[in-house]
Amino acid sequence: MKKRQIAAVLAGIMAMSLAVPAMAADETEGEEVKLLIAAAASLEYSMEEKLIPLFEEQNPGVKVEGSYDSSGKLQTQIEEGMEADLFFSAATKQMDALTEEGYMKEDSEADLLENKIVAIVPKDSKLELNSFEDLANAETVALGDPDSVPAGQYAKEALTSLNLWDEVSAKASFGTNVTEVLNWVAEGSAEAGVVYATDAAARAEDVEVKAETPEGSLAKPVIYPVGILERTEHSAEAEAFLKFLQSDEAGEIFKEYGFTPYKAAEENETESETDTEETPETATEEVTE
């Protein structure tokens, strides 16, 4: 009888010793990986409403959080220690700067999207604004701060090329990011504003697009690059999310929000360069933020 009891106890001990590693393995497998993407404010609608939920659905165990602001502010935050895994900028300047400073993972950056810069008014506006030049007719204009907001820098570049910057900026309110500019116009705090076409599309019930920047008023297309930060501790998951953003599936979603996937934009640009091969470039201010 005692022998059988001893055997049963030993068997129980062996079973428990085998179960402990298995339990630890299960707990490890169940840990959720969190990715933080520092993204331009103009990307918030598409990321939060469709792209992030779809990626999380396809990749159980990975949670993606977005931190949205002007690309210039996000660049500064990354330089000051922000623990982001990916950076999605509304202009190439910030990405180039972070790459040169060693913050971006080598060969991870990709030019992903193209956007447009447009002049908008509140939906019920009576303002006569039929071209970008007509911004001079508005009593109040909302613009992104050109020192830190890419949309504001593009607006300044276009208006400078039209010799209207001094006149328009004198009656402008400058937002800390493009979403703030959009809200001012949507709420009627400003008679007109300059934002991305995608922002205007997201608030189509509140604002109306009146004009795009004239051809030749911007030196380069409005390109959105994305890349993985060198400091990420989740390289595999970050690479999976980057690959997802570059997929045709994600591209179709970006189109729904008014963006143009850069592959198509690059083809159009190549055709344009071929047509204007003999035309000298117009000197314009470089986008710095």
Side-chain angles (χ1 to χ4, degrees):
M1 187 70 176
K2 288 183 179 180
K3 289 183 179 180
R4 286 198 294 272
Q5 289 176 337
I6 292 170
V9 170
L10 290 173
I13 292 172
M14 291 179 64
M16 288 176 65
S17 65
L18 290 172
V20 171
M23 187 183 298
D26 288 342
E27 288 175 354
T28 302
E29 289 175 5
E31 288 180 3
E32 185 177 71
V33 173
K34 290 185 179 180
L35 292 179
L36 176 62
I37 179 167
S42 51
L43 290 160
E44 184 170 3
Y45 292 109
S46 58
M47 296 293 287
E48 293 296 324
E49 292 177 358
K50 290 197 175 182
L51 290 162
I52 289 177
L54 179 58
F55 176 79
E56 290 178 343
E57 181 184 335
Q58 295 176 354
N59 296 268
V62 182
K63 176 75 174 177
V64 181
E65 295 180 357
S67 178
Y68 305 98
D69 211 322
S70 70
S71 301
K73 281 189 177 181
L74 293 172
Q75 177 193 340
T76 299
Q77 290 172 13
I78 289 169
E79 291 167 339
E80 293 177 349
M82 181 185 191
E83 295 184 358
D85 298 283
L86 300 99
F87 177 47
F88 203 163
S89 178
T92 57
K93 179 67 177 181
Q94 291 80 15
M95 183 67 75
D96 291 344
L98 290 175
T99 298
E100 290 172 9
E101 294 165 5
Y103 288 97
M104 303 307 300
K105 200 173 184 67
E106 188 175 358
D107 298 327
S108 72
E109 305 104 72
D111 290 337
L112 193 60
L113 304 171
E114 182 178 356
N115 211 336
K116 302 293 182 185
I117 299 294
V118 296
I120 60 171
V121 297
K123 197 70 172 180
D124 58 355
S125 174
K126 306 300 182 186
L127 179 67
E128 288 292 328
L129 201 161
N130 300 309
S131 67
F132 214 75
E133 292 88 334
D134 287 341
L135 284 167
N137 298 331
E139 292 185 8
T140 54
V141 180
L143 302 172
D145 184 347
D147 288 335
S148 61
V149 183
Q153 182 62 49
Y154 288 123
K156 181 178 180 179
E157 181 184 349
L159 289 167
T160 298
S161 74
L162 298 170
N163 297 314
L164 290 173
W165 173 248
D166 290 341
E167 183 178 356
V168 174
S169 62
K171 50 190 173 184
S173 297
F174 295 100
T176 58
N177 58 54
V178 73
T179 301
E180 188 171 30
V181 174
L182 177 66
N183 290 337
W184 285 344
V185 179
E187 295 162 3
S189 300
E191 274 198 311
V194 177
V195 298
Y196 295 112
T198 51
D199 296 301
R203 294 289 297 272
E205 72 278 7
D206 300 315
V207 301
E208 183 177 356
V209 174
K210 288 292 188 177
E212 287 187 10
T213 51
E215 186 175 352
S217 62
L218 297 178
K220 298 178 180 179
V222 181
I223 301 301
Y224 283 50
V226 61
I228 299 171
L229 284 157
E230 185 65 43
R231 64 168 62 111
T232 182
E233 296 180 357
H234 308 292
S235 293
E237 291 81 6
E239 287 172 9
F241 189 52
L242 178 60
K243 186 176 181 181
F244 166 75
L245 292 176
Q246 294 173 294
S247 69
D248 291 339
E249 185 177 26
E252 290 302 314
I253 293 174
F254 279 123
K255 286 180 185 178
E256 291 177 24
Y257 286 84
F259 290 101
T260 302
Y262 188 61
K263 288 180 180 179
E266 196 172 32
E267 290 171 3
N268 293 336
E269 185 181 356
T270 302
E271 291 175 5
S272 176
E273 287 175 355
T274 303
D275 293 339
T276 58
E277 203 169 27
E278 303 297 325
T279 305
E281 290 186 6
T282 302
T284 54
E285 183 180 354
E286 181 186 4
V287 173
T288 58
E289 295 292 346

